[in-house]
Amino acid sequence: MALRRSARLSTVTNSLQPSIQTKKTSKAQQTNGVTKARKPPAKGKKTAGLNLERTFENPPPSKTAKADTAEQEKPSNIFDPLPTDRSISRLHSTPPPLDRPVEPHRTNATLLTPHGSSLVAYPPGTENASPSKTGRPRPTATTGTLLEKAVAHLIATDLRLEPVIKQHPCPLFSPEGLAEEVDPFRSLVVSIIGQQVSGAAAKSIRDKFVALFNSKGSGDVALETNCFPKPEEIIKCDIATLRTAGLSQRKAEYIQGLSHKFASGELSARMLLNASDEELLEKLTAVRGLGKWSVEMFACFALKRIDVFSTGDLGVQRGCAAFVGKDVSKLKAKGGGKFKYMAEKDMLELAAKFAPYRSLFMWYMWRVENVDIAVLTT
């Protein structure tokens, strides 16, 4: 299936976003879902090689920039569970971190079902169960130690990463990040809505889409709620009605197709918890509207799988090229197709030594090139 890199996946909560020191810009930095390259540096500025300390020097914003930033609306966290009978009490708060078992090749997030219940890959008391009985490998860390172990592995593998890691702590796999509850159905629907449109347009369409299913009662007694629709509700809604929210014909079909798979049980929160990385990619790319890049971003940012590595992301390509000492600005000017910054084979060889924590390595490759991670998470 052809890559679709235009999905926008949002997993970092508003409470964690201040910890991610991204470069603020006034324009979107994404084309077809792939982060755009930065403008070449001023003439005479040396860029060849990797200078990690200079890479992350962000000048303080001007007064104008500060004013503009203050006026901007804070991005909503699309992974916060919307009110349902079972989840309304936890709408505005992330549960306190619990030191539960996790494993790099399984989903480390707590997943919500479309009907409000929550699931984890390793419920308390099952960490010592035989893999032959559970169908899952034994956990190798806990939510309290996963990031610590991953960071130690990255630094032990390549000391050049140490200053990057110290300057930019990763909130995604922190105990607080792993405590977030994620509705995977909602996440995938919203990623389809956000394909090939700006962030503002995606939010507007998403709000109208949710509103289609939230008028209860009639006339003066109509009650507007903010519940994300269940798969069964979307299936009952015809394409023409879905399109009134601003969806294209194709996106409306994609969302209905995804809803059918969740309603039938072919896709479920439990399957997304327990599937191997390979099974996850195979199952989700079989869904119309979800390409390899979209699934990789979903696995990393939503499911919190920590051994994902996307060679098809231009930001990751640029970061890897800079990390090994290539002049990224010259590579951009030279051209060379999809892998103009670094060959896919070379990227895979570089990342292999950081397994089973390649998601974290990928996160820092975005940092090396100072890519605006918010583009991927809003």
Side-chain angles (χ1 to χ4, degrees), residues 187-247:
S187 167
L188 291 169
V189 170
V190 171
S191 76
I192 292 173
I193 290 174
Q195 290 176 6
Q196 298 177 333
V197 297
S198 69
K203 183 181 184 303
S204 175
I205 296 170
R206 183 176 75 234
D207 291 346
K208 292 175 183 176
F209 173 79
V210 172
L212 291 176
F213 302 90
N214 281 278
S215 291
K216 297 185 178 180
S218 60
D220 294 336
V221 296
L223 175 64
E224 293 295 329
T225 62
N226 194 32
C227 298
F228 199 82
K230 298 177 178 62
E232 296 82 1
E233 294 175 306
I234 296 174
I235 291 172
K236 294 177 182 178
C237 188
D238 59 69
I239 296 294
T241 301
L242 291 178
R243 292 197 63 187
T244 63
L247 293 169

Short mmCIF file of all heavy atoms in Angstrom, two decimals, residues 187-247:
data_model
loop_
_atom_site.label_atom_id
_atom_site.label_comp_id
_atom_site.label_asym_id
_atom_site.label_seq_id
_atom_site.Cartn_x
_atom_site.Cartn_y
_atom_site.Cartn_z
N SER A 187 -8.54 8.38 17.94
CA SER A 187 -7.27 8.82 17.39
C SER A 187 -7.17 8.56 15.90
O SER A 187 -6.75 9.43 15.12
CB SER A 187 -6.13 8.09 18.12
OG SER A 187 -4.91 8.24 17.44
N LEU A 188 -7.57 7.38 15.47
CA LEU A 188 -7.47 7.02 14.06
C LEU A 188 -8.47 7.81 13.22
O LEU A 188 -8.14 8.24 12.10
CB LEU A 188 -7.69 5.52 13.89
CG LEU A 188 -6.56 4.64 14.44
CD1 LEU A 188 -6.97 3.18 14.47
CD2 LEU A 188 -5.28 4.82 13.62
N VAL A 189 -9.67 8.02 13.73
CA VAL A 189 -10.65 8.83 13.00
C VAL A 189 -10.12 10.25 12.81
O VAL A 189 -10.17 10.82 11.71
CB VAL A 189 -12.01 8.86 13.74
CG1 VAL A 189 -12.94 9.90 13.11
CG2 VAL A 189 -12.66 7.49 13.71
N VAL A 190 -9.60 10.83 13.89
CA VAL A 190 -9.10 12.20 13.81
C VAL A 190 -7.89 12.29 12.89
O VAL A 190 -7.69 13.29 12.20
CB VAL A 190 -8.77 12.72 15.23
CG1 VAL A 190 -8.05 14.06 15.17
CG2 VAL A 190 -10.06 12.87 16.03
N SER A 191 -7.07 11.24 12.84
CA SER A 191 -5.92 11.26 11.94
C SER A 191 -6.38 11.28 10.48
O SER A 191 -5.78 11.94 9.64
CB SER A 191 -5.01 10.05 12.19
OG SER A 191 -5.55 8.86 11.65
N ILE A 192 -7.46 10.59 10.17
CA ILE A 192 -8.01 10.61 8.81
C ILE A 192 -8.58 11.99 8.50
O ILE A 192 -8.37 12.55 7.42
CB ILE A 192 -9.08 9.51 8.64
CG1 ILE A 192 -8.42 8.13 8.70
CG2 ILE A 192 -9.84 9.69 7.33
CD1 ILE A 192 -9.41 6.97 8.71
N ILE A 193 -9.30 12.56 9.46
CA ILE A 193 -9.86 13.90 9.26
C ILE A 193 -8.75 14.91 8.96
O ILE A 193 -8.91 15.81 8.13
CB ILE A 193 -10.65 14.34 10.52
CG1 ILE A 193 -11.93 13.51 10.65
CG2 ILE A 193 -10.99 15.83 10.46
CD1 ILE A 193 -12.71 13.78 11.94
N GLY A 194 -7.60 14.76 9.61
CA GLY A 194 -6.53 15.74 9.47
C GLY A 194 -5.65 15.58 8.26
O GLY A 194 -4.73 16.38 8.05
N GLN A 195 -5.90 14.58 7.43
CA GLN A 195 -5.05 14.35 6.27
C GLN A 195 -5.17 15.49 5.26
O GLN A 195 -6.26 15.87 4.86
CB GLN A 195 -5.41 13.02 5.59
CG GLN A 195 -5.03 11.81 6.41
CD GLN A 195 -5.49 10.51 5.76
OE1 GLN A 195 -5.99 10.51 4.66
NE2 GLN A 195 -5.32 9.41 6.47
N GLN A 196 -4.02 16.03 4.87
CA GLN A 196 -3.89 17.01 3.79
C GLN A 196 -4.69 18.28 4.01
O GLN A 196 -5.11 18.94 3.05
CB GLN A 196 -4.29 16.35 2.46
CG GLN A 196 -3.39 15.18 2.09
CD GLN A 196 -3.81 14.49 0.82
OE1 GLN A 196 -4.97 14.51 0.45
NE2 GLN A 196 -2.85 13.88 0.14
N VAL A 197 -4.92 18.65 5.27
CA VAL A 197 -5.54 19.93 5.58
C VAL A 197 -4.75 20.58 6.71
O VAL A 197 -4.00 19.91 7.43
CB VAL A 197 -7.03 19.79 6.00
CG1 VAL A 197 -7.85 19.23 4.86
CG2 VAL A 197 -7.17 18.92 7.24
N SER A 198 -4.91 21.87 6.89
CA SER A 198 -4.21 22.57 7.95
C SER A 198 -4.76 22.17 9.31
O SER A 198 -5.86 21.59 9.42
CB SER A 198 -4.38 24.09 7.77
OG SER A 198 -5.73 24.46 8.02
N GLY A 199 -4.01 22.49 10.36
CA GLY A 199 -4.46 22.16 11.70
C GLY A 199 -5.77 22.84 12.06
O GLY A 199 -6.66 22.24 12.67
N ALA A 200 -5.93 24.11 11.65
CA ALA A 200 -7.16 24.84 11.95
C ALA A 200 -8.35 24.23 11.22
O ALA A 200 -9.44 24.08 11.79
CB ALA A 200 -7.00 26.31 11.55
N ALA A 201 -8.14 23.85 9.96
CA ALA A 201 -9.22 23.23 9.19
C ALA A 201 -9.59 21.88 9.78
O ALA A 201 -10.78 21.53 9.87
CB ALA A 201 -8.81 23.08 7.73
N ALA A 202 -8.58 21.11 10.19
CA ALA A 202 -8.84 19.80 10.78
C ALA A 202 -9.67 19.92 12.06
O ALA A 202 -10.61 19.14 12.28
CB ALA A 202 -7.52 19.09 11.08
N LYS A 203 -9.34 20.91 12.89
CA LYS A 203 -10.09 21.10 14.14
C LYS A 203 -11.54 21.50 13.85
O LYS A 203 -12.47 21.01 14.49
CB LYS A 203 -9.42 22.18 15.00
CG LYS A 203 -10.11 22.38 16.35
CD LYS A 203 -9.42 23.46 17.15
CE LYS A 203 -10.06 23.58 18.54
NZ LYS A 203 -11.51 23.86 18.48
N SER A 204 -11.73 22.36 12.86
CA SER A 204 -13.08 22.79 12.51
C SER A 204 -13.92 21.61 12.02
O SER A 204 -15.07 21.43 12.43
CB SER A 204 -13.01 23.88 11.43
OG SER A 204 -14.31 24.23 10.98
N ILE A 205 -13.33 20.79 11.14
CA ILE A 205 -14.05 19.63 10.62
C ILE A 205 -14.34 18.64 11.74
O ILE A 205 -15.43 18.07 11.82
CB ILE A 205 -13.23 18.96 9.50
CG1 ILE A 205 -13.09 19.92 8.30
CG2 ILE A 205 -13.89 17.66 9.05
CD1 ILE A 205 -12.11 19.44 7.25
N ARG A 206 -13.35 18.44 12.62
CA ARG A 206 -13.54 17.50 13.72
C ARG A 206 -14.69 17.94 14.63
O ARG A 206 -15.53 17.12 15.02
CB ARG A 206 -12.25 17.40 14.54
CG ARG A 206 -12.32 16.38 15.68
CD ARG A 206 -10.99 16.26 16.37
NE ARG A 206 -10.71 17.40 17.22
CZ ARG A 206 -9.61 18.13 17.16
NH1 ARG A 206 -8.69 17.87 16.25
NH2 ARG A 206 -9.40 19.13 17.99
N ASP A 207 -14.74 19.23 14.94
CA ASP A 207 -15.82 19.73 15.80
C ASP A 207 -17.19 19.54 15.14
O ASP A 207 -18.16 19.16 15.80
CB ASP A 207 -15.58 21.21 16.12
CG ASP A 207 -14.38 21.43 17.02
OD1 ASP A 207 -13.90 20.44 17.62
OD2 ASP A 207 -13.91 22.58 17.12
N LYS A 208 -17.26 19.81 13.84
CA LYS A 208 -18.53 19.64 13.13
C LYS A 208 -18.91 18.16 13.04
O LYS A 208 -20.09 17.81 13.14
CB LYS A 208 -18.42 20.24 11.72
CG LYS A 208 -18.29 21.75 11.70
CD LYS A 208 -18.07 22.25 10.28
CE LYS A 208 -17.85 23.77 10.25
NZ LYS A 208 -17.56 24.25 8.87
N PHE A 209 -17.90 17.32 12.87
CA PHE A 209 -18.14 15.88 12.81
C PHE A 209 -18.73 15.38 14.13
O PHE A 209 -19.73 14.66 14.15
CB PHE A 209 -16.83 15.16 12.49
CG PHE A 209 -16.90 13.67 12.56
CD1 PHE A 209 -17.45 12.93 11.51
CD2 PHE A 209 -16.41 12.99 13.66
CE1 PHE A 209 -17.52 11.54 11.58
CE2 PHE A 209 -16.47 11.60 13.74
CZ PHE A 209 -17.03 10.88 12.69
N VAL A 210 -18.12 15.77 15.24
CA VAL A 210 -18.62 15.35 16.55
C VAL A 210 -20.02 15.89 16.79
O VAL A 210 -20.89 15.21 17.34
CB VAL A 210 -17.65 15.82 17.66
CG1 VAL A 210 -18.24 15.57 19.04
CG2 VAL A 210 -16.31 15.11 17.53
N ALA A 211 -20.26 17.13 16.34
CA ALA A 211 -21.57 17.75 16.56
C ALA A 211 -22.70 17.00 15.85
O ALA A 211 -23.85 17.06 16.29
CB ALA A 211 -21.54 19.21 16.09
N LEU A 212 -22.37 16.30 14.77
CA LEU A 212 -23.40 15.54 14.05
C LEU A 212 -24.08 14.51 14.94
O LEU A 212 -25.23 14.14 14.71
CB LEU A 212 -22.78 14.82 12.84
CG LEU A 212 -22.30 15.66 11.66
CD1 LEU A 212 -21.63 14.76 10.63
CD2 LEU A 212 -23.47 16.42 11.03
N PHE A 213 -23.36 14.05 15.96
CA PHE A 213 -23.85 12.93 16.77
C PHE A 213 -24.23 13.36 18.19
O PHE A 213 -24.48 12.51 19.04
CB PHE A 213 -22.78 11.84 16.86
CG PHE A 213 -22.35 11.33 15.52
CD1 PHE A 213 -21.29 11.92 14.83
CD2 PHE A 213 -23.00 10.26 14.93
CE1 PHE A 213 -20.89 11.45 13.59
CE2 PHE A 213 -22.61 9.78 13.69
CZ PHE A 213 -21.56 10.37 13.02
N ASN A 214 -24.28 14.66 18.44
CA ASN A 214 -24.42 15.10 19.82
C ASN A 214 -25.64 15.95 20.12
O ASN A 214 -25.68 16.64 21.13
CB ASN A 214 -23.15 15.85 20.25
CG ASN A 214 -22.04 14.89 20.58
OD1 ASN A 214 -21.98 14.35 21.67
ND2 ASN A 214 -21.16 14.64 19.62
N SER A 215 -26.63 15.93 19.27
CA SER A 215 -27.89 16.60 19.58
C SER A 215 -28.87 15.56 20.09
O SER A 215 -29.30 14.69 19.34
CB SER A 215 -28.46 17.28 18.33
OG SER A 215 -27.67 18.38 17.97
N LYS A 216 -29.17 15.63 21.37
CA LYS A 216 -30.08 14.66 21.98
C LYS A 216 -31.37 15.36 22.38
O LYS A 216 -31.35 16.44 22.94
CB LYS A 216 -29.42 14.00 23.19
CG LYS A 216 -28.18 13.21 22.81
CD LYS A 216 -27.61 12.46 23.98
CE LYS A 216 -26.39 11.64 23.57
NZ LYS A 216 -25.81 10.89 24.70
N GLY A 217 -32.47 14.74 22.10
CA GLY A 217 -33.75 15.37 22.34
C GLY A 217 -34.15 16.17 21.12
O GLY A 217 -33.60 16.03 20.04
N SER A 218 -35.11 17.04 21.26
CA SER A 218 -35.56 17.84 20.13
C SER A 218 -36.10 19.17 20.63
O SER A 218 -36.49 19.32 21.79
CB SER A 218 -36.64 17.10 19.35
OG SER A 218 -37.75 16.82 20.19
N GLY A 219 -36.12 20.13 19.74
CA GLY A 219 -36.69 21.44 20.07
C GLY A 219 -35.99 22.09 21.24
O GLY A 219 -34.77 22.10 21.34
N ASP A 220 -36.77 22.65 22.16
CA ASP A 220 -36.22 23.38 23.29
C ASP A 220 -35.50 22.48 24.28
O ASP A 220 -34.73 22.97 25.11
CB ASP A 220 -37.33 24.14 24.02
CG ASP A 220 -37.94 25.24 23.16
OD1 ASP A 220 -37.24 25.69 22.23
OD2 ASP A 220 -39.10 25.60 23.41
N VAL A 221 -35.74 21.17 24.22
CA VAL A 221 -35.12 20.28 25.20
C VAL A 221 -33.89 19.59 24.63
O VAL A 221 -33.34 18.69 25.24
CB VAL A 221 -36.12 19.21 25.69
CG1 VAL A 221 -37.26 19.87 26.43
CG2 VAL A 221 -36.62 18.35 24.54
N ALA A 222 -33.45 20.01 23.44
CA ALA A 222 -32.26 19.41 22.85
C ALA A 222 -31.06 19.65 23.76
O ALA A 222 -30.86 20.75 24.26
CB ALA A 222 -32.00 20.00 21.46
N LEU A 223 -30.26 18.64 23.96
CA LEU A 223 -29.10 18.73 24.84
C LEU A 223 -27.83 18.50 24.02
O LEU A 223 -27.66 17.45 23.42
CB LEU A 223 -29.19 17.69 25.95
CG LEU A 223 -27.97 17.59 26.89
CD1 LEU A 223 -27.80 18.89 27.67
CD2 LEU A 223 -28.13 16.41 27.84
N GLU A 224 -26.96 19.51 23.98
CA GLU A 224 -25.71 19.39 23.25
C GLU A 224 -24.64 18.81 24.18
O GLU A 224 -24.36 19.37 25.24
CB GLU A 224 -25.26 20.76 22.74
CG GLU A 224 -26.16 21.35 21.67
CD GLU A 224 -26.15 20.53 20.38
OE1 GLU A 224 -25.11 19.92 20.08
OE2 GLU A 224 -27.19 20.50 19.71
N THR A 225 -24.07 17.68 23.81
CA THR A 225 -22.98 17.09 24.57
C THR A 225 -21.73 17.10 23.71
O THR A 225 -21.72 17.65 22.62
CB THR A 225 -23.33 15.65 24.98
OG1 THR A 225 -23.50 14.87 23.80
CG2 THR A 225 -24.60 15.61 25.81
N ASN A 226 -20.67 16.51 24.20
CA ASN A 226 -19.41 16.53 23.46
C ASN A 226 -18.82 15.13 23.36
O ASN A 226 -17.62 14.94 23.46
CB ASN A 226 -18.42 17.48 24.16
CG ASN A 226 -17.23 17.80 23.28
OD1 ASN A 226 -17.36 17.86 22.06
ND2 ASN A 226 -16.07 17.99 23.88
N CYS A 227 -19.67 14.14 23.20
CA CYS A 227 -19.22 12.75 23.14
C CYS A 227 -18.74 12.40 21.75
O CYS A 227 -19.42 12.69 20.76
CB CYS A 227 -20.35 11.81 23.54
SG CYS A 227 -20.95 12.03 25.22
N PHE A 228 -17.58 11.76 21.67
CA PHE A 228 -17.13 11.30 20.37
C PHE A 228 -17.99 10.11 19.96
O PHE A 228 -18.28 9.23 20.78
CB PHE A 228 -15.66 10.88 20.43
CG PHE A 228 -15.00 10.84 19.08
CD1 PHE A 228 -14.53 12.01 18.50
CD2 PHE A 228 -14.88 9.65 18.39
CE1 PHE A 228 -13.93 11.99 17.25
CE2 PHE A 228 -14.29 9.62 17.13
CZ PHE A 228 -13.82 10.79 16.56
N PRO A 229 -18.45 10.06 18.71
CA PRO A 229 -19.37 8.99 18.31
C PRO A 229 -18.74 7.61 18.37
O PRO A 229 -17.55 7.44 18.13
CB PRO A 229 -19.74 9.37 16.87
CG PRO A 229 -18.60 10.22 16.40
CD PRO A 229 -18.15 10.98 17.61
N LYS A 230 -19.55 6.64 18.67
CA LYS A 230 -19.12 5.24 18.68
C LYS A 230 -19.14 4.71 17.25
O LYS A 230 -19.84 5.24 16.38
CB LYS A 230 -20.05 4.41 19.57
CG LYS A 230 -20.04 4.83 21.04
CD LYS A 230 -21.02 4.01 21.84
CE LYS A 230 -20.99 4.39 23.32
NZ LYS A 230 -21.38 5.79 23.54
N PRO A 231 -18.39 3.65 16.98
CA PRO A 231 -18.37 3.08 15.63
C PRO A 231 -19.76 2.77 15.10
O PRO A 231 -20.07 3.03 13.92
CB PRO A 231 -17.53 1.81 15.79
CG PRO A 231 -16.66 2.08 16.97
CD PRO A 231 -17.47 2.93 17.89
N GLU A 232 -20.62 2.22 15.96
CA GLU A 232 -21.97 1.84 15.52
C GLU A 232 -22.78 3.06 15.09
O GLU A 232 -23.61 2.97 14.17
CB GLU A 232 -22.69 1.10 16.65
CG GLU A 232 -22.06 -0.23 17.05
CD GLU A 232 -20.89 -0.07 18.01
OE1 GLU A 232 -20.55 1.08 18.38
OE2 GLU A 232 -20.30 -1.11 18.37
N GLU A 233 -22.56 4.18 15.75
CA GLU A 233 -23.28 5.41 15.39
C GLU A 233 -22.83 5.93 14.03
O GLU A 233 -23.64 6.41 13.23
CB GLU A 233 -23.07 6.47 16.47
CG GLU A 233 -23.68 6.13 17.82
CD GLU A 233 -23.34 7.15 18.87
OE1 GLU A 233 -22.15 7.45 19.07
OE2 GLU A 233 -24.29 7.66 19.51
N ILE A 234 -21.53 5.85 13.78
CA ILE A 234 -21.01 6.34 12.50
C ILE A 234 -21.49 5.47 11.35
O ILE A 234 -21.82 5.97 10.27
CB ILE A 234 -19.47 6.38 12.55
CG1 ILE A 234 -19.00 7.39 13.61
CG2 ILE A 234 -18.89 6.76 11.19
CD1 ILE A 234 -17.50 7.41 13.83
N ILE A 235 -21.57 4.17 11.58
CA ILE A 235 -22.04 3.26 10.53
C ILE A 235 -23.47 3.61 10.10
O ILE A 235 -23.82 3.53 8.92
CB ILE A 235 -21.97 1.80 11.03
CG1 ILE A 235 -20.51 1.36 11.18
CG2 ILE A 235 -22.72 0.87 10.09
CD1 ILE A 235 -20.36 0.02 11.86
N LYS A 236 -24.28 4.02 11.06
CA LYS A 236 -25.69 4.34 10.76
C LYS A 236 -25.84 5.67 10.03
O LYS A 236 -26.92 5.97 9.50
CB LYS A 236 -26.49 4.37 12.05
CG LYS A 236 -26.62 3.02 12.74
CD LYS A 236 -27.37 3.15 14.06
CE LYS A 236 -27.45 1.82 14.79
NZ LYS A 236 -28.13 1.95 16.11
N CYS A 237 -24.79 6.47 10.03
CA CYS A 237 -24.85 7.79 9.41
C CYS A 237 -24.43 7.67 7.94
O CYS A 237 -23.37 7.11 7.63
CB CYS A 237 -23.92 8.75 10.14
SG CYS A 237 -24.07 10.47 9.62
N ASP A 238 -25.24 8.17 7.02
CA ASP A 238 -24.91 8.02 5.60
C ASP A 238 -23.79 8.97 5.20
O ASP A 238 -23.50 9.95 5.88
CB ASP A 238 -26.15 8.23 4.73
CG ASP A 238 -26.77 9.61 4.93
OD1 ASP A 238 -26.15 10.61 4.54
OD2 ASP A 238 -27.88 9.67 5.51
N ILE A 239 -23.17 8.66 4.08
CA ILE A 239 -22.03 9.43 3.59
C ILE A 239 -22.39 10.90 3.37
O ILE A 239 -21.62 11.81 3.70
CB ILE A 239 -21.49 8.82 2.28
CG1 ILE A 239 -20.94 7.41 2.53
CG2 ILE A 239 -20.40 9.71 1.67
CD1 ILE A 239 -19.72 7.35 3.40
N ALA A 240 -23.56 11.14 2.81
CA ALA A 240 -23.97 12.51 2.53
C ALA A 240 -24.02 13.35 3.80
O ALA A 240 -23.60 14.52 3.82
CB ALA A 240 -25.34 12.52 1.84
N THR A 241 -24.51 12.76 4.89
CA THR A 241 -24.56 13.49 6.16
C THR A 241 -23.17 13.72 6.71
O THR A 241 -22.86 14.81 7.21
CB THR A 241 -25.41 12.71 7.19
OG1 THR A 241 -26.73 12.53 6.66
CG2 THR A 241 -25.49 13.47 8.50
N LEU A 242 -22.31 12.72 6.63
CA LEU A 242 -20.93 12.89 7.10
C LEU A 242 -20.24 14.02 6.35
O LEU A 242 -19.46 14.78 6.93
CB LEU A 242 -20.15 11.58 6.92
CG LEU A 242 -20.54 10.40 7.81
CD1 LEU A 242 -19.71 9.18 7.47
CD2 LEU A 242 -20.38 10.75 9.29
N ARG A 243 -20.54 14.16 5.09
CA ARG A 243 -19.88 15.19 4.28
C ARG A 243 -20.30 16.60 4.68
O ARG A 243 -19.58 17.57 4.40
CB ARG A 243 -20.16 14.96 2.80
CG ARG A 243 -19.51 13.69 2.25
CD ARG A 243 -19.46 13.71 0.74
NE ARG A 243 -18.63 14.82 0.26
CZ ARG A 243 -18.50 15.17 -1.02
NH1 ARG A 243 -19.16 14.49 -1.95
NH2 ARG A 243 -17.74 16.18 -1.37
N THR A 244 -21.44 16.74 5.35
CA THR A 244 -21.86 18.07 5.79
C THR A 244 -20.93 18.64 6.86
O THR A 244 -20.96 19.84 7.13
CB THR A 244 -23.30 18.05 6.34
OG1 THR A 244 -23.36 17.20 7.50
CG2 THR A 244 -24.28 17.54 5.28
N ALA A 245 -20.10 17.78 7.46
CA ALA A 245 -19.12 18.26 8.44
C ALA A 245 -17.88 18.82 7.78
O ALA A 245 -16.99 19.35 8.46
CB ALA A 245 -18.73 17.12 9.38
N GLY A 246 -17.81 18.71 6.45
CA GLY A 246 -16.64 19.20 5.73
C GLY A 246 -15.72 18.11 5.23
O GLY A 246 -14.65 18.38 4.68
N LEU A 247 -16.13 16.85 5.42
CA LEU A 247 -15.32 15.73 4.95
C LEU A 247 -15.47 15.55 3.44
O LEU A 247 -16.55 15.78 2.88
CB LEU A 247 -15.76 14.44 5.64
CG LEU A 247 -15.52 14.33 7.15
CD1 LEU A 247 -16.26 13.12 7.70
CD2 LEU A 247 -14.03 14.22 7.44
#
